[in-house]
Amino acid sequence: MKFSTAAIITSTLSTAAAFSPISTTHTSSTALHANLLKNVENFSKATLLAGAIWASPTLLNNVNTDNNLIQDFVSTTRVEAKEMASGSGSRVNKDPESLLRLGLPIPKDKEVRKFQSIIEEIRQDVQTKRKSAALDGVKKSKSTIKSKGAEFQKMCREPTKCAEILSTMDSKLDPLAKEVAASQDFLNGSDQERAALDKAYGYQDELQKLLTNLEEQMVPEGYVTPVPNDYDDLVQLKGGRATVEFVLKKAGGGVFDVEGVNYDEAKMVMVIDGFTAPVTGGNFVDLVQKGFYTNMKIQRSDGFVVQTGDPDGPADGYVGTPGKAVGKGKHGERLIPCEIFVKGDKGPFYESTIEDEGRGGQATVLPFSSYGAMGWAREEYDANSGSSQFFWLLFDSDLTPAGKNVLDGRYPCFGYVVKGADFLRDIKEDDEIVSAKVLDGLEFLVQPKASE
């Protein structure tokens, strides 16, 4: 398909607007074209190209560069765009549980992050049948446990418990290696090879759960993400994470089709991160607990996001007692501030985006790089207009390069789907959330001082 320059510009500048659940501003292609020709040097290359690639993965190969300025701009950044679209140069981490581990506030975490990387690479090697590499990863893991185990235990709140975790991890590595080695004796693609690798994968899955338990033990006792006192009158998820489960039914009594398998219901489990997004996460968990999302329909499913949270009636969000800092919406909605946590910072900043802060391109603690990443929706031009609407991102590394897209730092990412994310492929508008409940983590939910 052929795209004109104006079409590229339109799709680029509307990428952020695509995530505006409440209002979308439309501008003519002619006006956008003129605006870019006047101000192109002021645009971020990353933002422009990420948006353009989102419109079409092959967009840059089909550009009608009828203007020398645009032609020069595209030609000088074609290589950068290819890297952004493919994720080449660095493998995009799309594993939600890995991203959650990396988001844990562990002081002096260099060595445990190396250990995490070794364990996680075994998983990739088993998946891709890099059997020798997987066996090498097992050796490195056992060596690390032996050489760094005492150091890791000292980092834990309960050293004895971590000693038990490390011992169990070490015991799981031997059968894992045995199954990988056994798979080498079978023909490639045979049922016997698949069975051996499935067993190895199962052991590795147990390893990763133990790794999560280990790293959670390394979060300092009583750690709470610092939040300005201005938001004390808003509910918060303090010092931990919560697990939430949604069950959905198809509109009209149909079934969910996931890769040819039919399911009567879609069940998704999500981890909500109070370390990275205490205000956003607290607001969401509070609404789940109140039953706000129960029996609510999906209101948007367009191939980029699945979105809900807009109640019936004139209000665009949850109507409740507002906080003083950001106040209430035009229909009495309880608004919450935009909350962005950049890597290296001591806590999130509030009421602005990463671009507003002049920090565009910096990495956020929780990136939008996993299928089912959860983002807080808001109006396009008002960072503090979020209330109850949220979206699941249908992440595609070819279209939404992690760290180089228009979502990281513009919208709060407050959690991930860790189980059942594949259902998002067939969740459509008018499908209904028949159950929404908090499975664990309610002890971290802190109601405001001036409680409702």
Side-chain angles (χ1 to χ4, degrees), residues 11-175:
S11 64
T12 300
L13 296 184
S14 63
T15 301
F19 285 86
S20 172
I22 300 171
S23 65
T24 304
T25 302
H26 299 280
T27 307
S28 69
S29 296
T30 302
L32 287 170
H33 190 197
N35 188 50
L36 181 63
L37 294 180
K38 182 179 180 181
N39 302 297
V40 66
E41 292 184 356
N42 294 328
F43 282 94
S44 161
K45 288 183 181 181
T47 301
L48 179 60
L49 290 171
I53 293 168
W54 194 325
S56 170
T58 58
L59 191 58
L60 292 179
N61 294 324
N62 296 312
V63 172
N64 177 16
T65 52
D66 49 8
N67 180 280
N68 290 335
L69 183 57
I70 299 298
Q71 186 174 21
D72 292 342
F73 183 80
V74 170
S75 63
T76 58
T77 54
R78 189 182 299 270
V79 174
E80 296 175 41
K82 181 179 179 181
E83 179 175 345
M84 289 182 337
S86 64
S88 60
S90 62
R91 186 167 59 196
V92 176
N93 187 350
K94 296 180 281 189
D95 182 350
E97 296 191 26
S98 172
L99 294 169
L100 286 165
R101 282 191 287 270
L102 291 171
L104 287 168
I106 302 173
K108 298 180 180 179
D109 64 348
K110 182 178 179 181
E111 293 302 323
V112 75
R113 294 307 182 201
K114 288 181 181 178
F115 183 48
Q116 175 181 336
S117 178
I118 294 169
I119 294 291
E120 292 174 353
E121 284 179 6
I122 295 174
R123 186 186 190 92
Q124 296 291 331
D125 291 334
V126 172
Q127 284 180 324
T128 56
K129 298 185 180 182
R130 297 179 67 245
K131 301 172 186 178
S132 295
L135 291 171
D136 186 52
V138 169
K139 292 179 182 178
K140 289 180 180 178
S141 297
K142 292 182 74 70
S143 176
T144 300
I145 291 172
K146 183 177 181 179
S147 62
K148 299 291 182 180
E151 180 182 333
F152 290 162
Q153 291 174 46
K154 291 179 182 179
M155 296 170 63
C156 294
R157 298 189 303 276
E158 301 173 80
T160 302
K161 189 169 185 177
C162 282
E164 294 173 357
I165 293 172
L166 288 165
S167 176
T168 305
M169 292 182 75
D170 188 66
S171 69
K172 298 290 183 185
L173 286 163
D174 292 326

Side-chain angles (χ1 to χ4, degrees), residues 123-239:
R123 186 186 190 92
Q124 296 291 331
D125 291 334
V126 172
Q127 284 180 324
T128 56
K129 298 185 180 182
R130 297 179 67 245
K131 301 172 186 178
S132 295
L135 291 171
D136 186 52
V138 169
K139 292 179 182 178
K140 289 180 180 178
S141 297
K142 292 182 74 70
S143 176
T144 300
I145 291 172
K146 183 177 181 179
S147 62
K148 299 291 182 180
E151 180 182 333
F152 290 162
Q153 291 174 46
K154 291 179 182 179
M155 296 170 63
C156 294
R157 298 189 303 276
E158 301 173 80
T160 302
K161 189 169 185 177
C162 282
E164 294 173 357
I165 293 172
L166 288 165
S167 176
T168 305
M169 292 182 75
D170 188 66
S171 69
K172 298 290 183 185
L173 286 163
D174 292 326
L176 191 161
K178 180 182 177 181
E179 295 299 340
V180 172
S183 74
Q184 294 178 317
D185 297 331
F186 301 119
L187 290 174
N188 186 39
S190 67
D191 290 342
Q192 295 93 332
E193 181 201 44
R194 183 69 268 159
L197 290 177
D198 283 347
K199 289 180 182 178
Y201 195 83
Y203 285 119
Q204 206 286 331
D205 193 50
E206 292 179 42
L207 270 176
Q208 294 210 151
K209 288 181 172 63
L210 289 165
L211 177 64
T212 296
N213 294 340
L214 178 71
E215 293 192 14
E216 287 176 344
Q217 269 284 322
M218 294 178 177
V219 177
E221 184 75 39
Y223 177 86
V224 173
T225 300
V227 176
N229 294 336
D230 293 348
Y231 310 112
D232 283 349
D233 55 1
L234 291 172
V235 63
Q236 297 181 29
L237 193 63
K238 287 190 172 185

Side-chain angles (χ1 to χ4, degrees), residues 320-332:
T321 303
K324 292 181 180 179
V326 293
K328 62 182 179 180
K330 58 185 177 180
H331 296 295

Side-chain angles (χ1 to χ4, degrees), residues 391-402:
F391 59 86
W392 292 280
L393 178 66
L394 308 183
F395 177 77
D396 184 333
S397 58
D398 286 340
L399 305 182
T400 320

